[in-house]
Amino acid sequence: EDQVTQSPEALRLQEGESSSLNCSYTVSGLRGLFWYRQDPGKGPEFLFTLYSAGEEKEKERLKATLTKKESFLHITAPKPEDSATYLCAVEGNSGSRLTFGEGTQLTVNP
Amino acid sequence: GAGVSQSPRYKVAKRGQDVALRCDPISGHVSLFWYQQALGQGPEFLTYFQNEAQLDKSGLPSDRFFAERPEGSVSTLKIQRTQQEDSAVYLCASTPSYDEQFFGPGTRLTVL
């Protein structure tokens, strides 16, 4: 059974204070690891897909990295508008479904 | 282009009532997924369609839950005899193939 654990559950940062979110996973044959952002009352918004260990992707202040056991979402010089819940999910070779972690609720204070 | 849309956005049902939740995927997307998201939790898989074929329904929590996609586009998730534990946000997602899934805004179901 695929499993995803995210840490921390919640993170408070000051504007400009860089940090990282962790996603640990176990999966039978990783087909892809996905990062999503979810704002209150909205559906998850796609950020990144990573397919193999060593892969990195960047978008504005966000960078996602992947190893064989975990993924990190690095946030550089965050702004208040980066406040959201960040979800990590994996797709294994058992099917097309995504298995999500419980998310990290990020708050960036001005 | 338009994203995934879901209706209604909010639904309040009395315990025991039947409800139907609709999902309009992105045009041309072959695959469609339903997820259930409890408050403060990540989404949990319910069921998956490829075109009109329901390929995986292993996540449906009971036989009160039923999903269909008869023409390979719009999908409906039906919950019969709703219970309080069915209260959650129901998310629909679509994808053109095996890439990232695009989510709709969800339907928040409250069972009283």
Side-chain angles (χ1 to χ4, degrees), chain B residues 4-16:
Chain B
V4 178
S5 61
Q6 293 186 245
S7 60
R9 290 294 317 279
Y10 304 91
K11 177 69 179 178
V12 178
K14 292 183 179 179
R15 189 163 59 93

Side-chain angles (χ1 to χ4, degrees), chain B residues 60-79:
Chain B
L60 295 176
S62 78
D63 58 8
R64 296 185 295 104
F65 286 70
F66 172 77
E68 60 183 5
R69 194 186 185 198
E71 297 180 357
S73 56
V74 171
S75 178
T76 303
L77 176 67
K78 297 180 180 178
I79 309 173

Side-chain angles (χ1 to χ4, degrees), chain A residues 4-13 19-24 35-39 47 71-73 75 82-89 100-108, chain B residues 37 40-43:
Chain A
V4 176
T5 302
Q6 292 188 245
S7 62
E9 290 184 10
L11 180 63
R12 285 186 175 274
L13 299 174
S19 188
S20 295
L21 313 182
N22 177 264
C23 170
S24 298
W35 282 97
Y36 285 85
R37 167 190 172 131
Q38 187 172 29
D39 293 294
L47 293 174
S71 177
F72 292 93
L73 184 66
I75 303 177
D82 295 323
S83 297
T85 295
Y86 290 85
L87 295 165
C88 172
F100 281 86
E102 295 191 351
T104 293
Q105 185 174 359
L106 174 67
T107 303
V108 182
Chain B
Q37 187 173 26
Q41 305 293 312

Side-chain angles (χ1 to χ4, degrees), chain A residues 34 36 43-46 49 91 96-98 100, chain B residues 1-6 22-35 45 47-51 69 72-75 90-106:
Chain A
F34 302 82
Y36 285 85
E45 175 189 346
F46 171 76
T49 308
E91 180 182 345
S96 297
R97 65 169 68 185
L98 294 181
F100 281 86
Chain B
V4 178
S5 61
Q6 293 186 245
R22 177 187 170 107
C23 172
D24 284 81
I26 294 172
S27 177
H29 279 197
V30 170
S31 299
L32 184 147
F33 300 79
W34 284 98
Y35 293 85
F45 171 81
T47 187
Y48 157 56
F49 290 86
Q50 187 168 325
N51 295 307
R69 194 186 185 198
S73 56
V74 171
S75 178
Y90 291 85
L91 295 165
C92 175
S94 69
T95 180
S97 57
Y98 294 107
D99 293 326
E100 59 269 15
Q101 297 180 19
F102 296 90
F103 284 81

Side-chain angles (χ1 to χ4, degrees), chain A residues 6-73:
Chain A
Q6 292 188 245
S7 62
E9 290 184 10
L11 180 63
R12 285 186 175 274
L13 299 174
Q14 288 299 122
E15 185 171 2
E17 180 186 2
S18 301
S19 188
S20 295
L21 313 182
N22 177 264
C23 170
S24 298
Y25 66 90
T26 55
V27 64
S28 55
L30 181 69
R31 293 174 64 175
L33 183 140
F34 302 82
W35 282 97
Y36 285 85
R37 167 190 172 131
Q38 187 172 29
D39 293 294
K42 296 189 177 181
E45 175 189 346
F46 171 76
L47 293 174
F48 302 108
T49 308
L50 302 168
Y51 295 103
S52 58
E55 189 175 0
E56 299 183 354
K57 287 192 177 175
E58 289 189 61
K59 178 180 178 181
E60 296 181 353
R61 296 177 292 281
L62 301 177
K63 184 170 81 171
T65 62
L66 182 65
T67 73
K68 289 186 178 180
K69 294 183 178 181
E70 56 191 352
S71 177
F72 292 93
L73 184 66

